[in-house]
Amino acid sequence: MRPENYKPVQHSASHEYELYFGPNHPGIEGNYALKCVLSGDVVQSLRADGGYLHRGFEKIMEERLWIQNVALVPRICVPDPVPMEETYARAVEMLGGLEIPKRAQWIRALMLEASRVCAHLFYFGGHAATMGMYSNMFWGVTDRDLILDIFEEITGARIYHMYITPGGVRRDLPEGVLDRLSKVLDYVESRLPEFDNLFFDNAVVINRATGVGTLTTEQALSWGVTGPNLRACGLPFDVRRDDPYLIYDELDFDIPTETAGDAWARTLVRREELLQSIRILRQIIATLPKVGGPIRCALPNPLAWNVPAGSVYARTESSKGELGFFVVSKGGAKPWRVHVRGPSSMHAVHVLERLGPGSRLEDVAQIMFSLDACPPEVDR
Amino acid sequence: MDFTHLFVELVLMPLIAFLVGLVMVLMLRKVRAKIERRIGPPLLQPLYDIVKLYSKKTQVSHGPMHEIAMMVALGGVIAMEVFLPVPGLNGLAEKGDLIVLIYLMMIPSLGLALGVGACANPNGSIGISRALTAMVAYDIPLMIVVAGVALFHGTTSLPEIIAAQQAGGMSTWGIVQTPVLALGGLIAAYAMLGKEPFEIYVAPAEIATGPMVEMSGKFMGTLFVMQCFQLYAVGVLYTTLFLGGGEYWISFLPKIFAVVFIPLAMTNVFPRYKTEDVLKWMWKWAGGFALAGLALVVMK
């Protein structure tokens, strides 16, 4: 609309006003919007408004061959794409009755945990940026880049790897990459005291994040909260431990929890999880050289692969919560139905809409980022 | 002083303020980049930014008030510069005193409030209400500090305050004679710069940069120029009140850069406070130091 044609809408006198958070707003994650009604500084109601990044992945996947969808799934969630590849591949393997070689399982676990480290480093920066602390954001992104270098070396791509395929992984690890990953992990670990000084021990940060967007365990369970957000309420549920996949039952790691259920607790849980992921990665680095064998099981011709009929639900613990793929096959060359159960659908819509009312305007962005909501995954 | 001489000073003083302010903006961005582990902008980037913004076509104007108010705000900061004495240039400092300067310092915020109010954007309105709240937060301690300095020197004339401080070398500087007052003043100066943790009225993640949200092209360029003037004014005012002003540019420039550098070096490790926390913090600490400093001055 041209400015001269603009006629402002006349509202009746009210102490309430509408404020749009997004879709073009520094306080919003990705292409997403929140429609807030405020009175003064207090949010009266909040409505999530998605659809700006709708690409119709679930429908597109019904029109493509099983193997072609490997290129689509990582694009569902930009900051943490590896769990998407893993979950889809495992769902197809479950339908096809494929046995994954042991080495491929270890490599997949390595990719998943490295992706979790990346996502959590990103998260620290995002959460700090909502409070106006951009140093943390740049630090997190810079350190994350070192892991992206490793991804690039292994898969040829930094973000959308398309590396995990039904039956295993696309190619074996390059020589010496485990040593290089080990050095990166040493470096990331050595950086944590600096992150502590800047962010985790910062009195202003603690003051601003404590008591913001608090979830009780009952609310979390009834609203479908999973992952670190659920563990921040005190419930130690983790798919890796409670419904193990790949080689997670052979690994030694803890499930960190907090009890407060607020934005600060969610951040603290992720800080501990970062350390646990590094611990897991070190175990994988020590074990992987001893695990030989193929990296992919024998597959039928992927261009004429009729996956047996059936329906399965595969789930993975992503950095944001439980990620599930419900896949139905009618025995054809393409999936009949693929449904993605992304954790952000719950966190960015149902939970956010309920946590918003009553909170302060300055905390809206912080609540959203502390839930680690990923809008591309909501829209998918 | 003849008119020609005064006219030259009135042109020179804002010009110097603008050029020094540009270097301060560069310092601000370089320091931030260093702490954030980035390289930062090239030397002339602040100038490029202003040229770029002023060369853009104005896409949206919100009526005459929007445009006039921005001129008022810019005029306010430029007028401020000619009342701030610098080495070799007194401008109008002998005609107007600290009280006039304090009045002038409020004009940019009020001009912005008028201009942003004409935009009818809730983000801008919230930003302006926050900016005025922040002004209340730092202006009260600043007034007490200014009153303390005026009482101590027995005058509100800036050239006289400078002369009194320069009489006995560093030992007669305000920061040595009235250190508590100087501390209160430094905190108030930090808040005046509007950087974290006092950056409540820009707050990108909360109100989408507040007053700047409807400012595009030339309006944004005006805000950029205002930032240059503001950084310079804060540095010069504090130097004038507590660091003995400046006899020569060679000794004056390091002082004003040091005053601005201290907050800029600290700001990057803070998130922003909530609005009410800024008020509480400023009144408690800056106000507390200012009052204690004033009490010490009165007792002397």
Side-chain angles (χ1 to χ4, degrees):
Chain A
M1 181 190 290
R2 295 187 63 79
E4 58 268 27
N5 297 331
Y6 172 72
K7 288 192 178 61
V9 181
Q10 295 295 322
H11 293 286
S12 55
S14 167
H15 60 94
E16 291 184 344
Y17 62 98
E18 277 188 348
L19 192 74
Y20 277 44
F21 258 74
N24 185 6
H25 191 294
I28 203 85
E29 274 197 88
N31 304 2
Y32 201 59
L34 302 173
K35 292 179 178 174
C36 303
V37 176
L38 292 114
S39 173
D41 257 4
V42 181
V43 177
Q44 304 297 310
S45 67
L46 186 150
R47 199 158 64 80
D49 181 27
Y52 297 97
L53 201 61
H54 184 64
R55 296 147 293 174
F57 279 131
E58 290 180 357
K59 196 67 191 166
I60 297 173
M61 286 162 84
E62 294 170 12
E63 300 300 322
R64 297 197 178 200
L65 299 175
W66 292 93
I67 204 74
Q68 284 180 308
N69 286 330
V70 170
L72 271 184
V73 285
R75 287 166 170 80
I76 294 174
C77 181
V78 188
D80 193 14
V82 182
M84 297 287 169
E85 299 182 11
E86 162 61 25
T87 320
Y88 173 74
R90 191 142 37 83
V92 178
E93 287 154 4
M94 285 159 79
L95 281 170
L98 301 175
E99 189 69 36
I100 314 306
K102 205 69 178 167
R103 185 169 174 80
Q105 293 190 32
W106 281 87
I107 294 174
R108 282 182 178 191
L110 178 139
M111 294 293 289
L112 284 167
E113 292 309 313
S115 181
R116 194 184 313 278
V117 172
C118 274
H120 285 348
L121 285 171
F122 216 41
Y123 172 92
F124 299 151
H127 189 188
T130 63
M131 295 184 257
M133 189 192 229
Y134 299 101
S135 308
N136 212 39
M137 187 183 81
F138 282 98
W139 288 14
V141 171
T142 311
D143 292 346
R144 169 182 176 264
D145 240 37
L146 298 172
I147 297 176
L148 297 189
D149 289 344
I150 299 286
F151 280 154
E152 191 176 2
E153 203 180 333
I154 296 174
T155 71
R158 296 177 78 78
I159 306 289
Y160 302 133
H161 314 131
M162 296 165 271
Y163 178 67
I164 298 174
T165 57
V169 292
R170 245 188 323 120
R171 60 184 183 200
D172 209 341
L173 297 179
E175 204 170 315
V177 77
L178 292 178
D179 291 336
R180 287 187 284 282
L181 176 61
S182 185
K183 282 180 189 149
V184 169
L185 296 179
D186 290 343
Y187 172 77
V188 170
E189 222 167 13
S190 73
R191 293 273 304 148
L192 269 178
E194 285 194 53
F195 275 101
D196 287 344
N197 283 336
L198 181 71
F199 184 66
F200 292 101
D201 295 337
N202 189 320
V204 187
V205 173
I206 296 170
N207 183 34
R208 280 214 54 175
T210 306
V212 171
T214 307
L215 274 167
T216 63
T217 315
E218 292 73 31
Q219 284 173 333
L221 284 173
S222 61
W223 295 346
V225 175
T226 52
N229 299 337
L230 181 61
R231 295 192 281 278
C233 302
L235 204 77
F237 177 80
D238 190 315
V239 181
R240 292 174 296 174
R241 171 65 52 81
D242 296 295
D243 185 11
Y245 49 95
L246 301 175
I247 42 80
Y248 277 104
D249 50 357
E250 297 175 39
L251 295 166
D252 182 27
F253 62 98
D254 297 325
I255 310 290
T257 56
E258 289 283 330
T259 52
D262 57 7
W264 188 232
R266 293 194 273 274
T267 301
L268 290 179
V269 163
R270 283 175 173 87
R271 188 198 174 282
E272 282 308 307
E273 278 193 6
L274 180 83
L275 288 172
Q276 292 301 322
S277 287
I278 292 176
R279 187 176 159 198
I280 292 172
L281 281 168
R282 289 200 196 291
Q283 293 172 48
I284 295 172
I285 290 169
T287 313
L288 201 46
K290 297 173 214 154
V291 183
I295 49 144
R296 201 168 44 238
C297 67
L299 284 178
N301 178 4
L303 300 179
W305 183 14
N306 292 328
V307 171
S311 63
V312 293
Y313 178 72
R315 58 179 178 170
T316 303
E317 185 69 30
S318 80
S319 66
K320 297 162 201 325
E322 179 181 326
L323 169 71
F325 269 64
F326 181 70
V327 184
V328 182
S329 170
K330 293 265 183 172
K334 299 167 185 171
W336 187 76
R337 175 78 172 100
V338 178
H339 172 70
V340 183
R341 187 264 181 223
S344 297
S345 307
M346 284 68 193
H347 300 157
V349 182
H350 310 295
V351 179
L352 200 56
E353 285 187 345
R354 287 166 173 83
L355 284 182
S359 65
R360 296 273 301 268
L361 166 62
E362 49 261 50
D363 293 331
V364 172
Q366 198 195 150
I367 295 173
M368 183 178 191
F369 275 75
S370 74
L371 289 166
D372 205 3
C374 176
E377 190 199 287
V378 180
D379 279 351
R380 56 180 182 275
Chain B
M1 184 188 292
D2 62 45
F3 178 76
T4 318
H5 189 199
L6 180 66
F7 183 76
V8 170
E9 286 199 353
L10 293 186
V11 173
L12 263 183
M13 288 170 86
L15 192 64
I16 292 170
F18 175 62
L19 294 175
V20 176
L22 272 180
V23 182
M24 285 177 165
V25 170
L26 180 73
M27 178 175 77
L28 182 157
R29 292 164 71 169
K30 278 282 187 191
V31 169
R32 187 173 280 261
K34 273 276 175 240
I35 294 173
E36 291 172 350
R37 302 167 70 200
R38 294 185 286 115
I39 294 167
L43 289 178
L44 291 177
Q45 192 61 47
L47 192 63
Y48 295 154
D49 287 345
I50 290 174
V51 171
K52 179 194 76 179
L53 289 168
Y54 272 102
S55 60
K56 279 191 171 183
K57 189 180 163 192
T58 301
Q59 292 293 337
V60 179
S61 168
H62 294 275
M65 184 52 80
H66 187 202
E67 291 170 16
I68 293 167
M70 290 307 290
M71 289 301 107
V72 170
L74 183 62
V77 281
I78 294 175
M80 217 156 72
E81 309 305 340
V82 298
F83 284 92
L84 282 166
V86 290
L89 301 167
N90 267 351
L92 294 175
E94 283 158 0
K95 311 268 189 302
D97 59 3
L98 257 177
I99 312 288
V100 177
L101 192 68
I102 297 294
Y103 269 108
L104 285 174
M105 283 170 72
M106 292 181 184
I107 290 180
S109 295
L110 299 176
L112 262 184
L114 276 176
V116 174
C119 302
N121 185 316
N123 286 306
S125 306
I126 298 168
I128 280 301
S129 79
R130 287 183 178 196
L132 296 179
T133 310
M135 202 168 83
V136 173
Y138 64 71
D139 256 1
I140 290 178
L142 185 70
M143 294 302 162
I144 301 171
V145 168
V146 165
V149 172
L151 267 178
F152 183 76
H153 294 290
T155 177
T156 54
S157 161
L158 288 171
E160 286 176 30
I161 291 172
I162 293 172
Q165 290 183 81
Q166 288 176 349
M170 275 180 74
S171 61
T172 49
W173 282 11
I175 200 164
V176 178
Q177 298 279 328
T178 53
V180 184
L181 216 51
L183 184 59
L186 187 63
I187 301 172
Y190 187 169
M192 279 168 73
L193 293 178
K195 301 292 170 201
E196 296 91 347
F198 306 111
E199 180 234 24
I200 52 173
Y201 45 90
V202 177
E206 296 168 17
I207 48 173
T209 68
M212 288 186 266
V213 75
E214 289 285 332
M215 306 291 180
S216 60
K218 295 177 179 64
F219 296 111
M220 189 54 120
T222 307
L223 288 180
F224 205 120
V225 172
M226 280 171 63
Q227 189 191 19
C228 298
F229 281 123
Q230 192 198 16
L231 284 168
Y232 173 84
V234 169
V236 173
L237 179 64
Y238 191 83
T239 305
T240 306
L241 295 182
F242 296 108
L243 299 177
E247 258 181 301
Y248 307 105
W249 281 99
I250 192 97
S251 58
F252 181 68
L253 283 176
K255 288 184 203 171
I256 60 171
F257 273 91
V259 171
V260 177
F261 178 78
I262 293 168
L264 297 188
M266 291 197 289
T267 184
N268 298 294
V269 298
F270 284 112
R272 77 179 75 84
Y273 281 129
K274 287 184 179 179
T275 312
E276 66 272 22
D277 290 340
V278 171
L279 270 177
K280 275 186 217 161
W281 201 91
M282 283 305 293
W283 286 357
K284 185 176 173 186
W285 293 105
F289 283 123
L291 277 176
L294 181 66
L296 288 172
V297 168
V298 171
M299 282 191 286
K300 271 185 185 173

